[in-house]
Amino acid sequence: MRLENLFLSNSTHLFKQLLETIKKHNPKISEKEINLIKKSYELAEQAHKNQKRLSGEPYIIHPLNVAIYLAKMGLDINTIAAGLLHDVIEDTIYNEEYIKKEFNEEIAKLVKSVTKISLVKKDSYKEKLNELKAQESIENLRLMLLASIDDIRVIIIKLADKLHNMQTIKYQKPHKIERISKEVLDIYAPIAGRLGMYRIKSELEDLAFEALYPKEAEKLRQEINLSKDSLENYLKKIKKILYSKLKEAGIESQIDSRIKHLYSIYQKMNKNNKTIQQIYDLRGIRVIVSEVNDCYSALGIIHTLWKPLPGRFKDYIALPKPNGYQSLHTTIMAPDGKPIEIQIRTFEMNEQAENGIASHWLYKHNLNYKSLKSKFQWLNILKQITLEYQNKNKNQWEVSKEFFMNLQDELQSDEIYVFTPKADIITLPRGSTVLDFAFKIHTELGFHCKSALVNDKIAPLSTELKNGDKVEIITHPDAKPSPIWLKYIKSNRIKQKIRNYFRKKEEQEIIKEQKQKEEITKPTEIKIKRKPSKNPQEVPIEVIGGNFDVPVRYAGCCSPVPGDKIIGYITRGRGITIHRTDCSQLPKIEDDRFISVKWEGLTEIYPISVEITAKDRQGLYLDLVQVITRTKTNILKATAELPKEQNGTMKATFLLEIEHLDHLNEILESLKLVNGVLEAKRKN
Ligand code: MN
């Protein structure tokens, strides 16, 4: 009984705290708005009256904590009310209509959007139960993200909900702790990061890290504590010097020092295989000033006090990160001989660095989706990923899995920043290539991508991009995707796009061929037969039009490579020979011996000769070799006929390992761009 009272007073206390927090951010709040919050609290308390959290506390503690977190970030009254009511539809007898009637449509919509749907029915087959549960959780995630496209506050409420659930996760069963924590590390924390909400991101990460790896977390905490005191004392001294120097120059500042959060230290140690002593940016100083101008003045003063480390200065004020983050970063060599990172920003930038997209409500920025989208590039990706799956069959487990994989794919890897020719910043996952970039800008740009300039130099489509690269895509109306692109592209989502393109094209071709055949034969005879054996001596060819379990070989006269237009010729007793359709040696008669064939895979490498005619000059040969090597092609043999007279015409022949016709074309196109080259072609 006494315990219950304690909890009850706890919830009253929490509600008071909620009202105080709201008033702090919004001193002019109206009586009407306060009443709306009170009413939401009363309904939530009434609705959850008989429910308890796993911790034994009354359920109302949870929505109160969620609402307080939202209020701390400065969100609007409707969002805070929705925070209080967020579990009402899911767990109690009240529905969306009721909330709409008693409160308003906006609150009802927000609450509905964070409410889970249930796919697991009572009579679900036992064998399918785990699959159904997994699908249910993905489907809920997808619906929540879909709703966020209309109103990003849905994600913000969900993140606050996750945060409080993670704070009390120890009461869950072990297998649930593992599943929920992993989901937080894989999905929710990265989403928070993409929206610039670094504070909630690091809180979520540390909680999930401790839940998943309690021993490692404890060990790391002890190691940090060992050096914490001396570290803090040291930072104090630096702060004192800096503060007085800035004051002398007339700059009022607030200087904070910080130690990285637990999980980011753990990741850094793991990634680079380092000990805690070897991580030099464990500590950092943050200088917060009033005006943007003061940021740059402070930077000048810092660089005269201590030597900056070359190459470490970053101006995210002039060029904000794609999640809206703004700040100046520099690393200086501190008097103890160890580097310290210093971040300089205004108060508003600091608020934005902590709460990201949520701070836009606090500062009453333009909140329409278009303006948010221009500041938070991830919103575009979110839209693409979720809308792509809107019309697909949602009851298919395969479809759910594919959606989840693509989402994870977009969220997991580190990001790099590259520039368009107009100096717009584009973010891509690390490992992305020129092709990923082209598709990211626009699907049409990707589909007609021919080559590219990376930092003003011609670069193959497969080039992996680095931070800070400037990329310009060169298109051609006739350019179209090639199967080899699947090897160059990093993003699974874009790969899927290319596969769909080929699937469609293939279907069209089959229909076309079928129609052609129908004109001369009975329609029922048309079948596609994939060669059953994958023996690498064999050719990756699909024979169309029946069962041909006979040997297949390439014609020596025209040596076709995948991508070439080809045709099969049924020889007498030697199986099928594959020719290029434009082969001059192709037998002209006995039409009934021809058979349609097509390329099946890209597993082989084919030796192909390439002939180059060029005006000779110094260094020409080396340039040719370099261009070929840059396309990651092996040269098997190379010969050159040097001209007799000076500056005459040189002929060079390279025997190359070619994977695909488009690969060959790419090499030929690159060779043609070399200064002096008159012609580059495939040698017959
Ligand atoms: Mn909840």
Side-chain angles (χ1 to χ4, degrees):
M1 191 62 200
R2 264 164 59 204
L3 201 65
E4 295 243 321
N5 278 339
L6 187 74
F7 284 139
L8 229 60
S9 68
N10 189 10
S11 70
T12 324
H13 170 78
L14 281 175
F15 184 63
K16 245 192 200 162
Q17 195 188 330
L18 173 63
L19 289 181
E20 278 162 19
T21 317
I22 294 172
K23 282 175 188 162
K24 197 178 130 199
H25 283 309
N26 192 357
K28 285 181 201 156
I29 188 162
S30 69
E31 198 59 34
K32 203 178 147 199
E33 286 175 305
I34 291 288
N35 283 336
L36 185 88
I37 293 293
K38 277 187 182 153
K39 199 175 159 189
S40 312
Y41 171 57
E42 277 158 16
L43 175 62
E45 197 177 37
Q46 166 67 26
H48 296 297
K49 197 170 62 190
N50 297 319
Q51 296 173 348
K52 285 215 172 4
R53 298 282 287 171
L54 286 176
S55 61
E57 291 170 291
Y59 197 90
I60 189 68
I61 299 293
H62 169 63
L64 270 169
N65 271 289
V66 171
I68 289 173
Y69 202 87
L70 294 167
K72 275 186 186 163
M73 290 191 285
L75 279 139
D76 60 298
I77 292 299
N78 280 345
T79 312
I80 297 168
L84 283 167
L85 297 168
H86 81 269
D87 277 331
V88 162
I89 297 183
E90 192 171 320
D91 298 337
T92 76
I93 51 165
Y94 300 97
N95 61 17
E96 190 183 0
E97 278 307 304
Y98 183 83
I99 296 178
K100 192 172 154 186
K101 198 176 83 212
E102 289 294 312
F103 298 88
N104 60 47
E105 196 175 352
E106 202 174 299
I107 295 177
K109 226 175 151 186
L110 283 170
V111 174
K112 177 78 175 83
S113 301
V114 289
T115 299
K116 290 183 194 150
I117 54 138
S118 176
L119 291 182
V120 184
K121 306 257 158 48
K122 265 197 184 139
D123 56 350
S124 299
Y125 292 112
K126 254 191 184 160
E127 314 84 77
K128 278 247 169 187
L129 203 63
N130 280 338
E131 190 177 289
L132 269 174
K133 276 188 183 165
Q135 193 182 355
E136 184 181 270
S137 109
I138 295 174
E139 197 51 23
N140 277 310
L141 180 66
R142 194 186 64 82
L143 289 173
M144 189 272 292
L145 292 175
L146 193 64
S148 305
I149 296 174
D150 285 333
D151 192 339
I152 197 68
R153 292 176 300 177
V154 172
I155 288 189
I156 300 175
I157 296 172
K158 195 73 198 174
L159 286 171
D161 178 36
K162 275 284 160 202
L163 182 67
H164 187 250
N165 283 339
M166 283 307 295
Q167 281 163 352
T168 51
I169 191 137
K170 66 175 178 196
Y171 300 103
Q172 293 279 7
K173 286 183 185 137
H175 75 276
K176 271 199 151 183
I177 292 184
E178 194 185 325
R179 183 180 62 75
I180 298 171
S181 303
K182 274 193 178 143
E183 191 184 45
V184 161
L185 286 184
D186 285 354
I187 304 290
Y188 289 97
I191 287 179
R194 297 296 194 266
L195 297 174
M197 302 168 76
Y198 285 121
R199 189 167 65 192
I200 202 166
K201 175 180 185 270
S202 36
E203 284 171 1
L204 284 172
E205 280 178 346
D206 278 2
L207 289 164
F209 172 50
E210 275 181 76
L212 271 178
Y213 311 105
K215 280 185 195 146
E216 285 88 341
E218 182 51 31
K219 195 175 155 235
L220 194 55
R221 199 188 300 284
Q222 282 174 3
E223 280 183 73
I224 294 168
N225 279 341
L226 274 182
S227 51
K228 206 175 173 185
D229 284 349
S230 66
L231 207 64
E232 275 173 358
N233 280 334
Y234 184 73
L235 288 179
K236 235 184 228 169
K237 280 183 206 155
I238 302 269
K239 273 158 66 177
K240 213 174 154 191
I241 301 172
L242 188 52
Y243 183 79
S244 63
K245 284 283 172 191
L246 290 176
K247 207 176 162 77
E248 265 174 43
I251 302 169
E252 272 305 325
S253 64
Q254 177 190 314
I255 305 180
D256 302 331
S257 57
R258 66 193 170 94
I259 293 179
K260 263 185 193 299
H261 74 282
L262 216 53
Y263 186 62
S264 72
I265 297 175
Y266 178 73
Q267 273 182 312
K268 223 167 191 170
M269 285 168 66
N270 262 3
K271 201 163 132 193
N272 308 320
N273 212 358
K274 280 185 175 163
T275 64
I276 194 151
Q277 284 77 19
Q278 288 169 311
I279 299 180
Y280 75 76
D281 53 357
L282 198 64
R283 55 192 190 162
I285 286 180
R286 189 170 291 154
V287 180
I288 309 172
V289 293
S290 306
E291 303 290 329
V292 176
N293 279 346
D294 293 344
C295 294
Y296 291 96
S297 312
L299 177 77
I301 291 166
I302 289 166
H303 283 182
T304 51
L305 280 172
W306 302 286
K307 279 218 161 18
L309 255 63
R312 299 278 306 184
F313 170 64
K314 292 198 183 81
D315 187 346
Y316 292 119
I317 292 180
L319 295 168
K321 282 191 188 181
N323 60 11
Y325 176 87
Q326 285 190 298
S327 198
L328 298 177
H329 287 192
T330 184
T331 303
I332 53 128
M333 195 54 95
D336 69 348
K338 287 183 193 157
I340 298 180
E341 186 185 69
I342 302 184
Q343 303 173 343
I344 312 158
R345 53 176 84 142
T346 65
F347 287 96
E348 186 172 339
M349 289 172 195
N350 192 48
E351 178 60 40
Q352 162 120 0
E354 286 186 347
N355 293 326
I357 204 163
S359 69
H360 283 235
W361 274 266
L362 182 65
Y363 283 95
K364 314 235 173 332
H365 283 301
N366 188 358
L367 290 171
N368 70 47
Y369 192 77
K370 212 174 158 193
S371 120
L372 288 176
K373 218 169 58 175
S374 67
K375 279 205 178 155
F376 298 89
Q377 288 191 9
W378 187 70
L379 295 183
N380 288 313
I381 297 177
L382 175 68
K383 199 171 176 177
Q384 283 170 11
I385 297 181
T386 38
L387 289 184
E388 242 168 63
Y389 290 87
Q390 198 177 14
N391 299 322
K392 291 199 181 176
N393 183 355
K394 281 152 207 158
N395 295 322
Q396 259 181 35
W397 173 223
E398 289 305 316
V399 173
S400 300
K401 265 200 298 197
E402 189 188 292
F403 162 74
F404 191 67
M405 200 183 73
N406 287 350
L407 180 69
Q408 254 186 331
D409 192 42
E410 289 289 349
L411 286 172
Q412 266 187 350
S413 36
D414 281 359
E415 288 182 308
I416 54 161
Y417 307 121
V418 294
F419 294 94
T420 66
K422 284 182 185 162
D424 289 329
I425 300 184
I426 301 293
T427 21
L428 294 162
R430 193 173 292 283
S432 296
T433 60
V434 166
L435 274 174
D436 288 290
F437 173 89
F439 275 95
K440 171 99 188 216
I441 302 267
H442 200 281
T443 308
E444 280 309 298
L445 192 72
F447 275 123
H448 296 291
C449 184
K450 191 168 171 246
S451 61
L453 296 173
V454 175
N455 303 323
D456 301 321
K457 287 198 189 97
I458 279 279
L461 298 178
S462 58
T463 307
E464 189 177 321
L465 297 172
K466 297 185 305 298
N467 243 335
D469 276 345
K470 189 180 106 185
V471 189
E472 187 175 349
I473 298 295
I474 300 166
T475 55
H476 190 276
D478 294 340
K480 52 180 187 292
S482 142
I484 205 171
W485 286 13
L486 293 170
K487 276 190 166 184
Y488 297 163
I489 288 166
K490 155 122 181 148
S491 154
N492 281 329
R493 206 170 52 77
I494 299 172
K495 278 187 195 171
Q496 199 60 43
K497 243 181 211 175
I498 306 270
R499 278 194 207 105
N500 288 343
Y501 167 88
F502 284 116
R503 204 168 295 145
K504 255 191 205 148
K505 221 175 109 178
E506 203 172 316
E507 279 165 16
Q508 283 165 0
E509 270 169 25
I510 290 173
I511 291 167
K512 210 171 119 192
E513 274 177 44
Q514 214 159 345
K515 270 189 184 155
Q516 280 173 0
K517 285 250 172 178
E518 268 166 16
E519 285 165 14
I520 44 171
T521 58
K522 279 173 276 175
T524 46
E525 283 174 29
I526 313 301
K527 273 180 199 153
I528 298 168
K529 172 78 182 170
R530 199 172 279 270
K531 279 184 69 64
S533 156
K534 274 277 177 191
N535 190 339
Q537 297 303 331
E538 268 171 24
V539 185
I541 294 278
E542 251 178 57
V543 180
I544 301 169
N547 184 358
F548 288 89
D549 201 9
V550 288
V552 177
R553 62 178 194 91
Y554 295 123
C557 43
C558 56
S559 5
V561 290
D564 273 338
K565 287 208 172 84
I566 48 171
I567 191 152
Y569 181 73
I570 307 166
T571 59
R572 288 180 202 279
R574 280 190 298 136
I576 299 171
T577 313
I578 308 298
H579 289 264
R580 279 156 60 180
T581 48
D582 60 357
C583 175
S584 57
Q585 303 296 311
L586 212 56
K588 295 271 182 308
I589 39 164
E590 293 187 277
D591 270 3
D592 57 334
R593 289 186 166 270
F594 285 118
I595 183 163
S596 295
V597 289
K598 65 177 173 170
W599 299 102
E600 185 190 42
L602 294 168
T603 49
E604 303 276 320
I605 286 171
Y606 308 82
I608 291 293
S609 277
V610 164
E611 192 179 72
I612 299 145
T613 318
K615 256 201 142 27
D616 197 28
R617 62 170 169 84
Q618 196 146 29
L620 172 70
Y621 197 73
L622 193 65
D623 285 352
L624 296 176
V625 172
Q626 269 176 354
V627 162
I628 295 171
T629 339
R630 233 184 281 145
T631 60
K632 296 186 186 133
T633 309
N634 271 344
I635 301 175
L636 299 172
K637 203 174 140 193
T639 51
E641 272 172 47
L642 289 171
K644 294 209 174 73
E645 76 274 32
Q646 232 189 349
N647 285 331
T649 310
M650 167 189 132
K651 260 193 197 320
T653 310
F654 292 93
L655 185 64
L656 304 176
E657 277 187 0
I658 299 294
E659 290 176 73
H660 190 274
L661 184 66
D662 294 283
H663 177 199
L664 175 67
N665 285 339
E666 194 187 339
I667 296 169
L668 292 178
E669 290 306 318
S670 309
L671 283 170
K672 282 176 195 164
L673 291 164
V674 174
N675 191 14
V677 170
L678 303 170
E679 192 184 33
K681 61 171 191 189
R682 175 175 177 173
K683 196 173 167 183
N684 280 320

